[in-house]
Amino acid sequence: MHCAAASCVNNSKYRDRLIVMPHVIELQFHKAHAEDYTKWEKKLDKTDYRVSQYTRICSNHFKYGKPLAGSSVPTLYMRSYPDWALSRKQAAKEVAAVENGLICHALVHVCKYLDPQTTTRLAEQLRVQPGKNSDCIFQKLLSMSSTEARQLLQQVAPIVPGGKCLEALHIYRYGALCEGTGWLSAQFQPTKVDSVCANKRKDCNPYSIPASHSYAKPETFKQSTEMVHCGHQCNRKEGVAWRKHNNKKQRLTAVECKEEVLYENYFHGDSTLRETQNIQLSEKITEPESALKCTQQIMKGPKVSIESIKHSDELIQLHTGLPSYQYFKWIYKEVDKASENMKYWHGNGSKKAKKYIETNQKKPGPSRVVSKENELLITLMKLRLNMMEEYLAYLFNVKQPTVSSILSTWIPLLSHELSGLIYWPEVEEIKLCYQDCFKRWPGIRALLDCFEIPTQKPSHVEANTQVFSSYKNRATTKFCLACTPGGSISFISPPAGGNMSDKEIVIACNLPQKFSPGDKCMVDKGFLIKGELLEYGVELIHPPFVHKGQPFTEEKNRWSKQIAHARIHIERVIGRLRDYKYLSSEIPVSQLDLIGPAARVCCALTNLKSSVVGKS
């Protein structure tokens, strides 16, 4: 019988390997009631897993160690156990290896959970008078030497029920606290152990173990010249601290002394000190609440805005990909007029033209939640960094549907308004910025190449066939790109499925018609479009092919290197496009209608930067 939780390895066949958490008295494997099957499946969160009458989950995953009314669904440690969780056998071994200063306290903690018969035998072994309460036994244990306490703990730890050894290990090894645990010191007047925990050990709250006990440390020390706590002695005037160990004095550093004093003040002091510290703690808890309210008032505005980053060109380039704030201002000026009365996209119902748009009137309704400058910033940040819409909504203090509407509206708007930056130049204009690496082939009009953007796999079989790329071995969207010898993008095709070849895309977008007779076009080996370009009088320049039975001569090798030296510039242009993370990350199927406009916007923004080709 094994536990069905994904993170749990408990199996009834291997009793020594069972992990028993502190809140469990006896580890058992429980089954679900028929009405709880669906709830258990949600908590287990396993793919294609169904809970049945044979499904078992161990006690560790239930709030009270077993399914009870109101808590019949497992909720604890469903993904993983904490790092300090060990098997019962390993926990018993580790707790017996606690350092000498705490071994007696660990022994007291473990012995509190022994059954009455074992407790009676322990009292006889310690020569405690019959009829004495458990405090006398604990006081006797605390007065033992570290060696004796360790030997006794090695005998007692394996028979302690449930995960109480693990609880003691977590408290005394990692410094966490547990409600209902009391410690007694041989040097001080003993305090009574919590009666609830002593008489009803099974009801001891196991969920009071926090991550650390820093909240138990008072801020100030008692102003005394000399303090002694369980063999620790600190002389404030001389600045020397030591503790007794095996009748020998060990020198302590100032930090160690401070920690020891704080530990003893809290655990071995009287209840008045602890109550005072708890009152101080409750007062400090209210301080962050008031500070949080003030912070919420301050953080009502956006956490990022164009006003907060416009002073730094580095921040502008990081968030938008633009060289400086001046470029941002120019783009906003270009789209400002068109964005005055634009209609935001809210689904298919947004296709109908509004009356205020047809009459060129001011848009009615409430004022903008986000300014137009920040809406432009949101769009550019999405293209540049590909942030999640939820995170953009958090940064600009709006809701996620608002961000989705902004992106669905602004990306097509920018694609339309900035399309003039993707310009097919004339031959005379190209000659003005002709580079040295192209002088061997005068008359080159464009360099062609294709790049692919990963997309989410469609659920429809036919659609998946159209977008599956054998080159990338996944679903992609493909674009054909042309750049001038000067390094500027002069053409980008509409998006196509990854299954289309380079030749099919060139023909589908009517790219050969843009050339003039006598032009030259440089491509890679995959563009088998020599015949299509000859119809328009265009010469195709490509690396030489290797034919079967014909050696690859030195002249062909030199020719191939020269073409690669010139054609590398379009690869560098595509590399700049990849700087926009939106074009290098997987595009969801729900956003495929935006991938074409987004690619055109990124090409236009890339043309605003300096050329990738150096000066002649």
Side-chain angles (χ1 to χ4, degrees):
M1 187 181 300
H2 67 279
C3 182
S7 63
C8 192
V9 294
N10 283 346
N11 194 317
S12 58
K13 294 182 179 180
Y14 310 102
R15 306 297 298 183
D16 291 340
R17 303 180 189 175
L18 293 178
I19 297 176
V20 186
M21 299 306 289
H23 68 286
V24 178
I25 300 299
E26 180 181 0
L27 187 76
Q28 297 177 347
F29 293 85
H30 309 277
K31 64 179 181 179
H33 297 289
E35 59 270 14
D36 292 335
Y37 281 1
T38 305
K39 296 179 181 179
W40 279 41
E41 290 170 0
K42 290 182 179 180
K43 291 297 181 180
L44 290 173
D45 195 17
K46 291 184 177 181
T47 305
D48 299 330
Y49 184 83
R50 294 292 179 267
V51 175
S52 65
Q53 58 179 338
Y54 305 105
T55 302
R56 296 292 187 274
I57 293 183
C58 68
S59 303
N60 290 338
H61 307 285
F62 294 93
K63 184 175 181 180
Y64 300 107
K66 58 183 177 180
L68 299 175
S71 61
S72 60
V73 179
T75 56
L76 303 178
Y77 315 116
M78 300 304 294
R79 286 298 179 188
S80 63
Y81 282 112
D83 297 336
W84 48 269
L86 300 173
S87 64
R88 284 194 60 186
K89 184 178 180 180
Q90 187 66 19
K93 182 179 179 181
E94 292 289 336
V95 76
V98 173
E99 61 184 16
N100 292 336
L102 299 175
I103 188 68
C104 293
H105 299 290
L107 177 61
V108 171
H109 184 88
V110 170
C111 290
K112 287 166 57 178
Y113 298 99
L114 294 175
D115 58 86
Q117 295 179 357
T118 307
T119 303
T120 303
R121 290 197 299 269
L122 179 62
E124 294 175 356
Q125 181 179 346
L126 297 175
R127 298 179 181 178
V128 177
Q129 295 180 4
K132 294 288 184 180
N133 57 16
S134 57
D135 289 353
C136 298
I137 299 177
F138 298 155
Q139 205 170 15
K140 191 76 173 179
L141 293 174
L142 285 170
S143 62
M144 296 174 66
S145 64
S146 300
T147 304
E148 295 175 349
R150 197 176 303 278
Q151 293 177 355
L152 181 59
L153 185 57
Q154 291 175 353
Q155 301 174 6
V156 173
I159 61 176
V160 174
K164 298 309 174 182
C165 284
L166 184 60
E167 180 178 293
L169 179 65
H170 187 252
I171 293 173
Y172 295 100
R173 174 68 58 83
Y174 303 104
L177 302 179
C178 181
E179 262 184 32
T181 53
W183 291 268
L184 300 174
S185 172
Q187 285 81 2
F188 291 94
Q189 182 68 25
T191 59
K192 292 186 177 181
V193 181
D194 190 350
S195 59
V196 177
C197 188
N199 299 330
K200 301 180 180 180
R201 293 166 183 153
K202 294 185 179 181
D203 297 333
C204 184
N205 185 5
Y207 292 96
S208 56
I209 303 178
S212 64
H213 63 282
S214 59
Y215 65 86
K217 298 180 180 180
E219 295 182 355
T220 58
F221 293 99
K222 292 183 178 179
Q223 300 298 325
S224 60
T225 57
E226 187 173 346
M227 291 188 296
V228 180
H229 295 286
C230 295
H232 302 77
Q233 192 171 9
C234 176
N235 193 322
R236 294 291 180 83
K237 293 182 179 180
E238 299 179 3
V240 179
W242 64 86
R243 63 183 170 191
K244 293 181 180 180
H245 176 63
N246 295 335
N247 296 325
K248 295 182 180 180
K249 290 184 179 180
Q250 293 182 348
R251 191 182 186 90
L252 297 177
T253 64
V255 176
E256 291 175 339
C257 176
K258 180 179 178 180
E259 291 179 351
E260 294 288 346
V261 171
L262 288 174
Y263 181 86
E264 297 294 342
N265 280 345
Y266 187 82
F267 291 114
H268 300 286
D270 55 9
S271 59
T272 306
L273 175 60
R274 287 193 292 271
E275 292 176 0
T276 305
Q277 294 172 359
N278 291 335
I279 294 174
Q280 294 175 356
L281 175 63
S282 62
E283 292 175 354
K284 291 181 179 180
I285 290 176
T286 59
E287 294 177 3
E289 293 179 355
S290 59
L292 179 60
K293 292 181 180 179
C294 297
T295 305
Q296 291 175 348
Q297 294 292 332
I298 296 173
M299 295 301 291
K300 279 188 175 180
K303 300 168 183 62
V304 177
S305 65
I306 189 60
E307 288 78 12
S308 63
I309 65 173
K310 66 180 182 181
H311 64 279
S312 173
D313 291 345
E314 294 180 355
L315 291 177
I316 289 291
Q317 188 169 7
L318 171 65
H319 289 81
T320 66
L322 299 174
S324 66
Y325 177 60
Q326 302 301 324
Y327 287 85
F328 183 89
K329 285 173 61 178
W330 181 84
I331 293 175
Y332 177 72
K333 184 178 179 181
E334 290 294 315
V335 301
D336 184 24
K337 187 175 181 180
S339 63
E340 287 181 357
N341 294 327
M342 67 179 176
K343 182 182 179 183
Y344 286 83
W345 180 261
H346 295 288
N348 293 329
S350 305
K351 294 181 179 179
K352 296 181 180 180
K354 294 292 185 179
K355 189 174 182 180
Y356 69 88
I357 298 178
E358 296 176 350
T359 57
N360 197 21
Q361 295 178 356
K362 186 178 179 180
K363 181 181 177 182
S367 59
R368 294 176 179 271
V369 179
V370 185
S371 64
K372 288 194 294 183
E373 293 89 340
N374 285 333
E375 287 184 354
L376 176 59
L377 178 61
I378 289 175
T379 306
L380 296 181
M381 287 177 64
K382 177 64 177 178
L383 297 177
R384 175 70 175 87
L385 304 173
N386 195 29
M387 291 181 171
M388 295 178 62
E389 292 181 0
E390 291 81 2
Y391 188 62
L392 285 171
Y394 166 74
L395 291 179
F396 289 87
N397 199 27
V398 293
K399 295 183 179 180
Q400 182 270 333
T402 303
V403 174
S404 179
S405 177
I406 290 173
L407 296 177
S408 300
T409 305
W410 274 85
I411 290 179
L413 175 67
L414 291 174
S415 174
H416 181 268
E417 297 297 323
L418 301 181
S419 59
L421 294 175
I422 305 174
Y423 171 64
W424 186 268
E426 299 295 335
V427 178
E428 292 77 11
E429 296 173 332
I430 292 179
K431 290 180 179 180
L432 296 176
C433 56
Y434 222 67
Q435 305 300 317
D436 294 338
C437 58
F438 294 101
K439 288 184 177 180
R440 184 180 178 86
W441 304 281
I444 288 185
R445 191 75 175 272
L447 291 79
L448 300 185
D449 201 358
C450 287
F451 70 96
E452 300 183 53
I453 301 174
T455 57
Q456 186 181 4
K457 181 181 178 181
S459 58
H460 197 276
V461 177
E462 186 176 353
N464 186 37
T465 304
Q466 293 175 355
V467 299
F468 183 81
S469 171
S470 57
Y471 178 67
K472 297 292 185 179
N473 196 28
R474 63 160 302 158
T476 61
T477 300
K478 200 170 187 178
F479 291 89
C480 178
L481 193 73
C483 78
T484 64
S488 64
I489 300 174
S490 57
F491 177 81
I492 182 172
S493 69
N499 192 34
M500 290 186 69
S501 64
D502 299 343
K503 179 180 179 179
E504 291 173 339
I505 294 179
V506 170
I507 297 174
C509 64
N510 297 322
L511 182 57
Q513 298 178 7
K514 289 184 172 292
F515 291 91
S516 301
D519 290 342
K520 295 178 181 179
C521 179
M522 183 175 286
V523 296
D524 199 5
K525 292 181 180 181
F527 286 83
L528 306 177
I529 55 174
K530 187 173 183 179
E532 284 73 16
L533 292 180
L534 283 177
E535 296 179 5
Y536 297 91
V538 181
E539 180 183 352
L540 187 67
I541 302 174
H542 60 82
F545 291 92
V546 178
H547 299 284
K548 187 176 181 180
Q550 296 182 4
F552 199 72
T553 62
E554 184 178 351
E555 182 180 357
K556 288 183 178 180
N557 185 33
R558 190 183 305 110
W559 178 262
S560 178
K561 288 183 178 180
Q562 291 173 351
I563 293 178
H565 180 64
R567 208 190 67 83
I568 191 64
H569 296 304
I570 192 169
E571 300 289 351
R572 297 173 65 192
V573 171
I574 294 176
R576 278 197 173 180
L577 283 178
R578 299 287 187 187
D579 289 341
Y580 291 92
K581 303 302 181 184
Y582 189 83
L583 300 184
S584 59
S585 305
E586 184 180 82
I587 307 298
V589 175
S590 59
Q591 297 181 13
L592 287 181
D593 58 330
L594 293 178
I595 192 170
R600 285 192 291 272
V601 173
C602 294
C603 289
L605 298 178
T606 302
N607 280 345
L608 290 176
K609 303 178 181 179
S610 59
S611 175
V612 297
V613 183
K615 295 182 179 180
S616 301

